[in-house]
Amino acid sequence: GQQVMQIPQYQHVQEGEDFTTYCNSSTTLSNIQWYKQRPGGHPVFLIQLVKSGEVKKQKRLTFQFGEAKKNSSLHITATQTTDVGTYFCAGIQGGSEKLVFGKGMKLTVNP
Amino acid sequence: DAGVIQSPRHEVTEMGQEVTLRCKPISGHNSLFWYRQTMMRGLELLIYFNNNVPIDDSGMPEDRFSAKMPNASFSTLKIQPSEPRDSAVYFCASTLRDRGRGGYTFGSGTRLTVV
């Protein structure tokens, strides 16, 4: 079945640093979505990417969808303590409606 | 908009008891999903509905789990009998299916503990 892998699973950064997390699918995706879950909270939708090679920005967050539509990345610039949480990528395989989540990347920030 | 509403927020029950989790999706959304989250397995899709009809229940762990959606504004997930390994956070999410598969809105979840 469809699998979505995220690396790394944990990331600890110093406030102000940049970092990137990656998401890889075993199958071609029709779209990929990113969510953020704060400790004790629920996943909150951040963005959806649909087109091959698509790049979208939200303030300090940059999301990219791979050319083959099998991978994606999230880059955060100048990390802040408010960025703390777990970031999930989730993909939908063409023709399906099942959103399959990766295991997430837990980010901690040292002030 | 009140968002997706789940109840109860926390549930502690004894092994063997029946547990019913409830969800009210966002008004106008026509797809509803039940997910389970654990440290070991992450977020797992259990079942989803389109226009109140169950489409895929392949993620339901076993016959002890059942889900219903009697109308567009209400869904239940029932576990009978419950077991300690069912302890997890259960999320309900909804979306508007024909909006190019936009993002899902999750409820706050029900934290289930089976002792």
Side-chain angles (χ1 to χ4, degrees):
Chain A
Q2 179 187 347
Q3 290 188 338
V4 177
M5 312 293 287
Q6 282 187 254
I7 53 170
Q9 289 190 3
Y10 302 93
Q11 183 81 37
H12 180 77
V13 300
Q14 199 73 23
E15 190 172 22
E17 286 183 349
D18 300 352
F19 86 94
T20 303
T21 182
Y22 300 91
C23 178
N24 296 293
S25 170
S26 56
T27 58
T28 302
L29 302 171
S30 61
N31 72 61
I32 197 158
Q33 301 178 14
W34 286 88
Y35 291 76
K36 178 182 178 181
Q37 184 176 22
R38 288 202 162 94
H42 57 277
V44 175
F45 174 70
L46 295 177
I47 209 158
Q48 175 178 270
L49 303 169
V50 178
K51 299 176 184 176
S52 170
E54 188 171 14
V55 178
K56 288 187 177 180
K57 291 189 176 184
Q58 285 183 353
K59 297 182 180 178
R60 294 177 295 101
L61 276 61
T62 302
F63 304 84
Q64 186 167 4
F65 202 6
E67 293 290 339
K69 301 184 75 173
K70 295 180 73 173
N71 56 70
S72 181
S73 64
L74 160 59
H75 180 80
I76 301 183
T77 304
T79 312
Q80 299 177 358
T81 54
T82 52
D83 295 326
V84 163
T86 300
Y87 293 82
F88 293 94
C89 65
I92 294 180
Q93 192 174 356
S96 165
E97 291 177 317
K98 294 170 66 169
L99 188 62
V100 176
F101 280 78
K103 289 286 184 68
M105 190 282 300
K106 185 176 182 179
L107 175 68
T108 54
V109 179
N110 203 24
Chain B
D1 193 340
V4 176
I5 299 173
Q6 290 187 247
S7 64
R9 288 297 306 273
H10 303 273
E11 177 81 34
V12 180
T13 190
E14 290 186 347
M15 183 173 63
Q17 296 298 306
E18 177 180 297
V19 176
T20 299
L21 312 181
R22 297 172 176 80
C23 174
K24 176 179 168 56
I26 288 177
S27 177
H29 280 187
N30 55 7
S31 291
L32 182 141
F33 305 80
W34 283 100
Y35 282 86
R36 176 172 69 175
Q37 185 175 41
T38 60
M39 286 290 291
M40 289 297 295
R41 300 174 71 89
L43 274 163
E44 301 175 276
L45 176 64
L46 301 178
I47 185 172
Y48 77 93
F49 298 81
N50 282 342
N51 298 314
N52 315 336
V53 176
I55 302 300
D56 188 332
D57 65 354
S58 60
M60 296 285 259
E62 47 197 274
D63 293 345
R64 297 184 297 107
F65 286 68
S66 62
K68 293 182 180 179
M69 193 165 185
N71 56 63
S73 59
F74 184 65
S75 178
T76 59
L77 177 68
K78 184 179 293 186
I79 308 173
Q80 165 65 18
S82 58
E83 297 182 2
R85 60 190 167 126
D86 302 330
S87 298
V89 180
Y90 290 81
F91 288 106
C92 173
S94 70
T95 192
L96 183 58
R97 178 187 174 206
D98 295 324
R99 196 183 58 190
R101 297 190 181 125
Y104 293 12
T105 302
F106 280 76
S108 298
T110 295
R111 182 173 294 276
L112 173 66
T113 303
V114 183
V115 297

